[in-house]
């Protein structure tokens, strides 16, 4: 049975340290309206979509640092963000949004939420698990830092897939399952979604955790430095242009290959361009198919909607043939994946 769904990535150009929150929210409203005019039902915003990507800076002023986090758990009703959620409700568009979260208990996370416009509630939350970079700045004063380990705790919510209701008409619901259907409901219900954030996309473990829950759409917002030799390594000397090309290549490589290996669609949304006047972030927001193809991708390095209409039924072929996990996975051979974290070469000959 076809299960059509209209997906969009809301790519955002730079947000500077000096940018005003109201201007940022208005840019997001404009993006939502553009997405709505295309018929989008789900719109993904980038990682830390509300502020500059502050983990690149060593921030010693406590009140400045505090200003980058959302302190209110109820974002749909918080004064700083309410307008965005109200617009999503008005346009009947589900949104997924990345932001820096400060819990009432004072723990900070790099978080993404999924808001259902139809129920008017936050359906799911994900806290970034793979925090890249370092806790201390690089010794090179010109280096682009990535101090996420300094500013965030490791996510504590795991990779929990969830179903998003009221998007696809005619899907099978729990109450409708007949006795003869028991155990044959796969691929017939509401869309199964999974969120990850930026660096998580480079780890096949993140994807496989979702793949094992039957994920059909992976949502991944990102802020990826285009030129950061201290972070990426200097083995191959590259110009900033070449480095950025490579970073975009690796971004698409992981979105396409992992979508294929888990038979799911994916949406990725960048915050991109020159932030704070000098820090280059890649663009390359895209929507990929379960066969690993790019269905739509950003053409600019600024605010842009990337849109695709998909049929979730297209996930079935991979899930039932090449990547039918139940028939082909060999967990008895995979023990090392959870037993060992780092590499052990096992000594020399
Ligand atoms: N925000 C990120 O997680 N960025 C990382 C770094 C390493 C650039 C990324 O993987 O894209």
């Amino acid at each position: 049975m076809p299960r059509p769904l209209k997906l969009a990535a809301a790519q955002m150009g730079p947000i500077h340290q000096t940018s005003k929150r109201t201007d940022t929210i208005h840019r997001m409203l404009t993006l939502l309206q553009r997405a709505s005019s295309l018929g989008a039902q789900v719109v993904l915003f980038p990682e830390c979509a509300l502020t500059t990507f502050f983990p690149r800076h060593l921030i010693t002023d406590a009140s400045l640092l505090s200003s980058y986090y959302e302190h209110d758990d109820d974002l749909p009703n918080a004064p700083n963000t309410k307008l965005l959620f109200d617009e999503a409700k008005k346009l009947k568009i589900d949104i997924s949004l990345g932001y820096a979260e400060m819990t009432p208990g004072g723990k900070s996370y790099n978080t993404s939420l999924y808001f259902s416009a139809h129920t008017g509630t936050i359906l799911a939350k994900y806290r970034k698990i793979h925090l890249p970079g370092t806790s201390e700045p690089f010794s090179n004063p010109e280096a682009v830092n990535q101090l996420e380990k300094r500013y965030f705790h490791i996510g504590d919510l795991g990779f929990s897939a969830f179903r998003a209701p009221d998007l696809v008409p005619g899907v099978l619901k729990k109450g409708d399952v007949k006795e003869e259907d028991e155990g044959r409901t796969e691929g017939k219900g509401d869309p199964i979604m999974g969120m990850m954030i930026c660096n998580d996309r480079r780890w096949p473990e993140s994807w496989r955790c979702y793949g094992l829950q039957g994920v059909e759409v992976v949502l991944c917002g990102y802020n990826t430095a285009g030129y950061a030799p201290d972070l990426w390594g200097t083995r191959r000397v590259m110009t900033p242009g070449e480095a950025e090309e490579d970073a975009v290549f690796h971004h698409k490589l992981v979105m396409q290959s992992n979508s294929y290996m888990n038979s799911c669609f994916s949406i990725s949304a960048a915050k991109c361009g020159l932030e704070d006047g000098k820090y280059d972030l890649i663009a390359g927001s895209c929507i990929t198919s379960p066969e690993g193809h790019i269905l739509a991708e950003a053409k600019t390095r600024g605010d842009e909607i990337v849109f695709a209409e998909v049929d979730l039924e297209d996930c079935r072929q991979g899930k039932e043939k090449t990547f039918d996990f139940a028939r082909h996975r060999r967990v008895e051979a995979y023990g090392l994946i959870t037993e060992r974290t780092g590499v052990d070469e096992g000594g020399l000959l």
Side-chain angles (χ1 to χ4, degrees), residues 58-314:
L58 178 63
I59 302 166
T60 50
D61 178 332
S63 73
L64 176 63
L65 180 58
S66 173
S67 72
Y68 289 123
Y69 296 98
E70 304 309 305
H71 295 256
D72 194 329
D73 199 34
D74 184 15
L75 256 58
N77 292 304
N80 260 348
T81 41
K82 187 176 180 329
L83 268 183
L84 180 65
F85 291 86
D86 286 350
E87 190 70 9
K89 266 195 283 189
K90 190 177 108 194
L91 299 173
K92 296 193 173 49
I93 296 179
D94 285 12
I95 57 172
S96 180
L97 168 76
Y99 63 104
E101 174 188 14
M102 184 64 75
T103 69
K107 281 190 97 172
S108 51
Y109 296 98
N110 189 341
T111 299
S112 187
L113 60 73
Y114 186 98
F115 175 78
S116 160
H118 302 262
T119 63
T121 57
I122 295 175
L123 281 189
K125 209 185 226 192
Y126 167 74
R127 291 174 172 154
K128 188 174 182 179
I129 287 176
H130 299 100
L131 298 176
T134 55
S135 299
E136 295 301 324
F138 294 115
S139 52
N140 170 11
E142 292 305 311
V144 177
N145 286 300
Q146 183 86 17
L147 298 170
E148 288 192 58
K149 285 177 164 54
R150 185 183 193 91
Y151 297 126
F152 300 119
H153 291 85
I154 295 167
D156 60 352
L157 300 176
F159 295 102
S160 295
F162 58 96
R163 287 197 192 265
D166 306 310
L167 292 172
V168 182
V171 293
L172 196 60
K173 294 284 192 183
K174 212 192 283 180
D176 305 333
V177 178
K178 300 194 186 73
E179 219 167 291
E180 63 268 25
D181 288 333
E182 287 287 358
R184 286 190 299 168
T185 60
E186 282 174 9
K188 295 181 181 158
D190 289 299
I192 304 176
M193 311 276 196
M195 291 182 279
M196 57 179 77
I197 303 179
C198 197
N199 193 257
D200 289 318
R201 73 199 191 285
R202 304 187 195 276
W203 300 92
E205 292 88 344
S206 322
W207 292 82
R208 189 46 51 94
C209 285
Y210 282 131
L212 286 167
Q213 298 168 78
V215 76
E216 295 174 310
V217 183
V218 165
L219 305 152
C220 179
Y222 60 101
N223 285 255
T224 294
Y227 186 63
D230 297 76
L231 188 66
W232 299 123
T234 52
R235 174 97 179 120
R236 214 181 115 209
V237 178
M238 286 187 276
T239 63
E242 288 166 339
E244 175 158 353
E245 233 174 77
D246 231 34
V248 173
F249 167 72
H250 288 140
H251 160 64
K252 291 184 185 169
L253 181 69
V254 296
M255 297 313 294
Q256 292 181 251
S257 57
N258 284 291
S259 296
Y260 167 64
M261 290 184 282
N262 292 282
S263 317
C264 61
F265 291 93
S266 74
I267 320 178
S268 55
K271 182 136 65 57
C272 57
L274 272 194
E275 262 192 356
D276 298 333
K278 74 180 227 199
Y279 299 99
D280 187 28
L281 296 172
I282 66 165
S285 307
C286 58
I287 298 175
T288 63
S289 78
E291 296 298 321
H293 298 290
I294 292 183
L295 300 175
E297 64 184 305
K299 296 178 182 64
T300 71
R301 286 161 50 88
D303 289 9
E304 178 180 346
I305 288 295
V306 177
F307 173 83
E309 179 166 5
V310 307
D311 182 352
L312 298 179
E313 182 62 18
D314 291 348

Side-chain angles (χ1 to χ4, degrees), residues 27-60:
R27 280 169 59 189
M28 296 169 94
L29 297 183
T30 304
L31 282 164
L32 264 188
Q33 285 147 11
R34 265 187 231 157
S36 171
S37 70
L38 296 168
Q41 296 167 282
V42 179
V43 173
L44 169 69
F45 287 99
E47 171 190 35
C48 293
L50 300 167
T51 64
T52 191
F53 191 66
F54 67 92
R56 70 168 69 89
H57 301 292
L58 178 63
I59 302 166
T60 50

